[in-house]
Amino acid sequence: MDEKDLLAERFQADRTHLKAVAYRMLGSLSEAEDAVQEAWLKLSRSDISEVQNLSGWLTTVVGRLCLDMLRSRSSRREDPLEYYVPDPLVRGPEGATRDPEEEALLTDSVGLALLVVLETLGPAERLAFVLHDMFAVSFDEIAPIVDRTPAATRQLASRARRRVQSAAPAPAPDLTRQRQVVDAFMAASKAGDFEGLLAVLDPDVVLRADGGKVPALSKLIRGAEAVVRQALTFAPYRREYRNVLVNGAPGIVSFVDGGRLGGLMGFTIVDDRIVEIQIIADPERLETLGVPGLEG
């Protein structure tokens, strides 16, 4: 095995870790893959003879690439951020994803509610928080990436942490109980049971629907009664649904007339109440997410 093959093998060993970093930084599976591929190109062109910790070096390379991508995205973003739902990791309730790499990501999945909050952070704040709090990269290593001192970088992470702690609810750990709550929500929705829906919703529940290229489908709804009205409005159009896991938490894919995929819903549940519902309703985007059931 020559030097290039050895380098490729070493990079492959870190690939899932690097994609996990990029996914949390970008909230996009395709952009995360692009960042990882660019990191490989940079590695293959670099002299790493004096690099003592290649995994750490690659992590900071991916961080820098993601930072640049976030800054570029911020300068050209046109869609309202309040409606945006990041790419989910979706699998059947008892099966694996078709992508072993994504299956590995799911073993340490991050919830959609947290990814939504990360989207509200500035690029440098997000980098400092993700690398330090999620992957234990030191502030001394992060500081050169964001062109700040370690102390200033620590402050970036601290601000981001406060935002996350105040805005991202911690879901209940019991997956079986979470599924029971979602099942109760769907049954009450189908039955038109207003009180039954209220019983499983937190009073301050937030529903976010991302219609993407279909802006009329995008909306942000706050409060249990408003979410109940929304659920009852759309229940007659939802002919069938299937249980899935969305970033490791209970979710559903719904189908409308003709078996057409109508939407993907992810739920965040705290103390047996639904506190957030994230919906992707853009048909074109749904086609790209590998949602179970699309194969017919």
Side-chain angles (χ1 to χ4, degrees):
M1 186 178 292
D2 62 22
E3 185 177 346
K4 185 175 181 180
D5 290 336
L6 285 170
L7 197 61
E9 185 178 90
R10 183 66 183 81
F11 179 81
Q12 195 63 30
D14 280 327
R15 183 181 177 86
T16 298
H17 163 75
L18 297 175
K19 190 168 182 179
V21 172
Y23 176 56
R24 286 155 178 75
M25 280 293 300
L26 300 167
S28 164
L29 292 169
S30 61
E31 289 184 348
E33 181 63 30
D34 289 344
V36 172
Q37 288 299 109
E38 186 62 31
W40 161 248
L41 293 176
K42 184 173 180 61
L43 173 63
S44 64
R45 296 191 297 258
S46 300
D47 177 7
I48 58 167
S49 58
E50 296 185 6
V51 174
Q52 297 181 349
N53 179 0
L54 185 58
S55 294
W57 184 86
L58 285 169
T59 298
T60 57
V61 166
V62 167
R64 191 181 299 276
L65 290 167
C66 290
L67 182 64
D68 291 342
M69 294 169 76
L70 285 175
R71 286 170 171 165
S72 175
R73 179 197 292 176
S74 298
S75 68
R76 56 183 167 79
R77 182 185 287 276
E78 296 178 358
D79 300 330
L81 186 58
E82 64 179 348
Y83 304 131
Y84 178 68
V85 176
D87 283 353
L89 291 164
V90 187
R91 65 173 177 174
E94 297 179 354
T97 67
R98 289 168 293 177
D99 184 342
E101 191 170 271
E102 289 185 14
E103 183 65 21
L105 286 178
L106 279 167
T107 63
D108 187 28
S109 59
V110 55
L112 273 186
L114 175 55
L115 287 174
V116 166
V117 176
L118 292 180
E119 288 292 326
T120 68
L121 303 177
E125 284 182 333
R126 186 168 185 170
L127 178 88
F129 176 78
V130 168
L131 289 190
H132 181 268
D133 285 42
M134 294 184 171
F135 295 99
V137 180
S138 73
F139 291 121
D140 286 342
E141 295 172 279
I142 300 170
I145 305 175
V146 294
D147 196 25
R148 286 172 169 81
T149 65
T153 304
R154 184 186 298 274
Q155 288 300 312
L156 283 176
S158 179
R159 286 200 300 270
R161 191 179 307 117
R162 288 195 297 270
R163 183 95 60 89
V164 168
Q165 290 173 345
S166 66
D174 187 341
L175 190 58
T176 299
R177 181 56 189 154
Q178 288 185 59
R179 174 57 66 188
Q180 291 171 348
V181 173
V182 172
D183 288 345
F185 173 86
M186 297 305 297
S189 177
K190 184 176 181 179
D193 182 357
F194 191 96
E195 294 301 324
L197 284 167
L198 280 181
V200 295
L201 293 174
D202 185 88
D204 298 318
V205 62
V206 175
L207 181 149
R208 178 178 289 98
D210 184 347
K213 295 181 180 179
V214 188
L217 297 177
S218 294
K219 56 194 67 193
L220 181 66
I221 300 174
R222 299 181 184 275
E225 291 194 4
V227 170
V228 167
R229 287 192 290 271
Q230 179 73 16
L232 295 179
T233 297
F234 281 90
Y237 302 101
R238 192 184 301 119
R239 302 303 183 190
E240 178 189 355
Y241 72 89
R242 299 179 192 175
N243 291 336
V244 293
L245 291 173
V246 179
N247 286 55
I252 67 160
V253 288
S254 63
F255 298 84
V256 294
D257 289 331
R260 179 172 56 85
L261 183 62
L264 172 71
M265 301 174 67
F267 298 83
T268 302
I269 298 165
V270 177
D271 295 332
D272 291 343
R273 295 290 185 96
I274 297 169
V275 298
E276 289 199 18
I277 303 173
Q278 316 290 351
I279 301 173
I280 295 179
D282 178 3
E284 289 189 23
R285 188 172 175 206
L286 288 168
E287 293 274 356
T288 70
L289 295 178
V291 176
L294 282 182
E295 299 84 354

